[in-house]
Amino acid sequence: MRDLFLTLFIFGYMPWIIIRPHYGIFMWSWLTYMTPHRLTWSFAFDFRFNYFVTIITLYSIFRSKDYKIRVPINFATPGQTWSVATPSEHGGAAKRRQSR
C-alpha cells in the first residue's frame, strides 16, 4: 500500500513538473536526499523514480521559454576553467599514503 501511494504521488506530480521545471528539481532533490522508495517493500523499493523525474524535468526545461542555460562569466571564470580542465600534478592524499 505504501508503494502504491508513493508511486501515485510521484507520477501524479509529473504534470506539475512539466508546467514548472523547478518543481522537478525539488522532486529530484527530495527523492535523492530522503530516498522514500527505500521505505517501501514491494516494486517501489527498486524502482528508479529519479530517472523519470530527470527525464521529465529536462524535457520541461528545454521546451520552456522562460529558462535559458546561461554560463556566468566574470573575472574568476578563466581560472576556474583551467583548474577543472587540467589534471593535478601533486596527487594529494593518495601520494602521501603511498610514501608511508
Side-chain angles (χ1 to χ4, degrees):
M1 189 68 176
R2 191 183 303 181
D3 54 346
L4 291 174
F5 176 73
L6 182 68
T7 304
L8 287 175
F9 177 74
I10 292 172
F11 283 111
Y13 208 75
M14 294 291 179
W16 291 102
I17 294 173
I18 291 173
I19 295 169
R20 302 194 185 229
H22 63 276
Y23 287 177
I25 295 170
F26 297 151
M27 177 65 79
W28 185 86
S29 299
W30 177 68
L31 287 170
T32 303
Y33 295 134
M34 190 176 162
T35 60
H37 60 283
R38 293 295 178 178
L39 300 174
T40 61
W41 293 298
S42 186
F43 68 92
F45 185 81
D46 290 326
F47 197 77
R48 310 254 174 139
F49 292 107
N50 280 346
Y51 289 139
F52 289 101
V53 172
T54 303
I55 289 168
I56 295 295
T57 303
L58 289 175
Y59 167 75
S60 64
I61 286 172
F62 288 129
R63 74 175 268 285
S64 174
K65 294 179 179 143
D66 295 337
Y67 294 95
K68 304 288 185 234
I69 299 173
R70 291 181 230 150
V71 178
I73 305 284
N74 56 20
F75 71 94
T77 304
Q80 292 169 348
T81 306
W82 180 261
S83 66
V84 169
T86 58
S88 174
E89 294 278 335
H90 64 284
K95 199 169 216 178
R96 285 194 298 267
R97 278 194 293 264
Q98 288 176 355
S99 65
R100 290 186 187 173

